[in-house]
Amino acid sequence: MAVRTTRPATSPAPDTDSARSTRNTSLRVLFDVGHPAQVHLFRNAIRELGERGHETFVTSREKEVTNELLEAYGIDHVSLSRRGDSTLSLVWETLTREVRLLSFARRFGPDVLVSRLGPVPAHVSALLGCRHVVVSDTYVDRPFIRRIHQSVTLPFVDTICVPDSFELPIADEKRRPLDFQELAYLHPAYFEPDRDVLAANDIDPGDPYFVVRVSGWDAYHDAGHAGLGPATVRRLIERLKEHGAVYISAEGDLPSDLERHRLTIPPADIHHVLYYADLYVGDSGTMSTEAAVLGTPAIRTNTMVGEDDEHVFRALEDRYDLLRSYADADRALEAVEEILSFGIDCIDWQQRRERLLAEQPDVTDRIVETILESASDPRESRP
């Protein structure tokens, strides 16, 4: 197998200062973060707003490594709740979080509240009368759950940045197209891979290795779906370890025989590990997209894959040939076998990545400009 032992350097960060507008009025912007992916999504926008003289703060939720990431990036935050582990505890957490966010936001006095699409920040922004900017790429495919979620959130949204293909019952003037949101932190303007990070985590950057991702599948939008099971992971590892080391990134517990493969690194280092990996295989939508936009061959498998798959996954597969998605885990294993047999041309995969970067916008810049634009709009009557 022709595995990669080196990766080409990333493109230099573009000079965008001349294209960025400035404001004379300082804003107060509150970010509500409830998931580790949202830390990455918003952290560069937070830094950019601070550099422009605006005041920012973060309210967080204790879910997985959210707070650990915020601390690693030096982002000031206050944790409002811990994720519940049952339906009743989740309902109680939602109520508690709404009260606490409202109390904190009243003291902070935000001009704009920024979050993913969710009832808590939506209701708080309406009660305070501040602008509400949403950045979201999660599509709930269960119609009943989707209708309920949208009915208690969208009426309170002022601007929503979503993939162009998402069908939402919201006025067109409130929408902003934003497809590959992982580029908010993996664009060369914000991310530079560092081989020394691998060595610091006892990963030999000169030897082939593979990353396997096993998600928790306990979010509301995951209801009724599943990803990689232990039996499939065992088959996958048996094949991959013939060609290199195998590291499992897992949210929860693993069987004892798989635990020895667990990737134990600081959460902030995961993208360096993904960049230099020879192959990624996993059931996570976010990490599959991250691996793909980094130019690492990526295979995604879970029961969400199908004809109604999200636009981002389809574009990464059909337009850029950076990702393969399979609902059937056996088909995913066959794809792994195919890649192992034919080998990996790192230059070819990087050229595919360069094409994506050339065609897609700077997501962080879009988010910042949307926040500033929303703050300058006259307030309309809110529900």
Side-chain angles (χ1 to χ4, degrees):
M1 170 188 174
V3 297
R4 295 173 296 177
T5 56
T6 60
R7 296 291 297 267
T10 56
S11 303
D15 180 6
T16 59
D17 289 344
S18 60
R20 292 175 175 169
S21 63
T22 58
R23 290 170 54 92
N24 295 324
T25 303
S26 176
L27 297 176
R28 297 170 74 84
V29 184
L30 180 62
F31 289 81
D32 187 52
V33 171
H35 187 280
Q38 297 165 30
V39 179
H40 295 301
L41 176 64
F42 293 133
R43 60 184 171 87
N44 290 306
I46 292 170
R47 176 189 53 77
E48 176 69 19
L49 287 166
E51 291 177 355
R52 297 196 192 192
H54 304 295
E55 185 175 354
T56 64
F57 202 82
V58 171
T59 51
S60 66
R61 181 191 191 207
E62 293 183 33
K63 183 183 190 299
E64 299 169 28
V65 295
T66 301
N67 290 337
E68 189 175 343
L69 280 172
L70 287 167
E71 290 160 9
Y73 292 119
I75 298 174
D76 291 335
H77 67 101
V78 59
S79 181
L80 300 180
S81 66
R82 181 190 299 270
R83 187 190 185 283
D85 55 6
S86 67
T87 301
L88 182 61
S89 63
L90 284 170
V91 172
W92 177 250
E93 184 209 0
T94 300
L95 296 173
T96 301
R97 185 173 184 82
E98 190 154 325
V99 171
R100 290 176 178 173
L101 180 58
L102 177 61
S103 176
F104 179 85
R106 277 177 171 161
R107 296 195 301 272
F108 182 71
D111 297 287
V112 184
L113 197 161
V114 185
S115 71
R116 302 288 273 194
L117 186 62
V120 171
H123 298 165
V124 168
S125 69
L127 290 168
L128 292 179
C130 67
R131 309 300 290 182
H132 184 31
V133 172
V134 168
V135 184
S136 182
D137 62 356
T138 300
Y139 187 75
V140 183
D141 68 344
R142 300 292 181 181
F144 177 71
I145 297 176
R146 182 170 65 247
R147 284 195 296 269
I148 292 177
H149 188 249
Q150 292 176 350
S151 68
V152 299
T153 55
L154 290 179
F156 310 103
V157 171
D158 293 295
T159 309
I160 181 167
C161 302
V162 289
D164 220 6
S165 61
F166 274 24
E167 295 182 5
L168 295 174
I170 193 169
D172 289 344
E173 60 267 21
K174 292 187 174 184
R175 294 181 60 130
R176 302 292 183 273
L178 207 59
D179 286 327
F180 294 93
Q181 295 183 15
E182 287 76 12
L183 289 178
Y185 50 97
L186 295 180
H187 191 282
Y190 310 106
F191 174 74
E192 183 176 352
D194 186 353
R195 295 170 67 87
D196 292 339
V197 170
L198 273 63
N201 288 290
D202 297 323
I203 299 174
D204 190 336
D207 289 341
Y209 69 88
F210 312 95
V211 175
V212 176
R213 172 66 172 174
V214 181
S215 301
W217 292 92
D218 53 2
Y220 73 89
H221 51 80
D222 295 333
H225 290 288
L228 285 169
T232 303
V233 174
R234 290 187 181 98
R235 292 169 59 195
L236 178 61
I237 289 178
E238 284 302 311
R239 187 67 182 93
L240 291 176
K241 71 180 185 180
E242 297 175 10
H243 298 273
V246 182
Y247 300 101
I248 301 176
S249 169
E251 292 180 7
D253 296 333
L254 291 170
S256 57
D257 61 314
L258 300 179
E259 185 65 37
R260 61 192 179 92
H261 292 283
R262 184 185 288 273
L263 181 65
T264 54
I265 60 171
D269 291 347
I270 183 60
H271 299 124
H272 301 276
V273 175
L274 281 177
Y275 181 87
Y276 289 107
D278 289 89
L279 176 68
Y280 162 89
V281 186
D283 55 15
S284 163
T286 297
M287 193 171 288
S288 297
T289 305
E290 289 174 337
V293 301
L294 287 171
T296 296
I299 294 175
R300 162 179 164 260
T301 177
N302 61 56
T303 57
M304 283 185 170
V305 176
E307 293 181 358
D308 296 329
D309 221 348
E310 293 178 19
H311 165 76
V312 170
F313 301 128
R314 296 198 306 271
L316 285 171
E317 182 162 2
D318 300 335
R319 182 172 180 177
Y320 298 110
D321 198 19
L322 287 164
L323 174 71
R324 299 184 190 180
S325 295
Y326 302 95
D328 185 344
D330 288 336
R331 286 287 297 114
L333 291 175
E334 291 175 7
V336 170
E337 186 65 40
E338 179 183 337
I339 290 178
L340 293 176
S341 299
F342 284 94
I344 300 166
D345 183 344
C346 65
I347 301 299
D348 178 48
W349 284 87
Q350 277 300 298
Q351 288 174 344
R352 302 178 197 184
R353 179 190 185 225
E354 291 297 331
R355 180 190 169 201
L356 181 146
L357 294 173
E359 296 180 358
Q360 298 300 322
D362 183 326
V363 173
T364 288
D365 198 55
R366 284 279 184 92
I367 292 174
V368 170
E369 293 305 324
T370 299
I371 292 170
L372 300 181
E373 173 192 273
S374 179
S376 66
D377 286 342
R379 284 181 171 81
E380 302 172 354
S381 60
R382 304 286 295 279

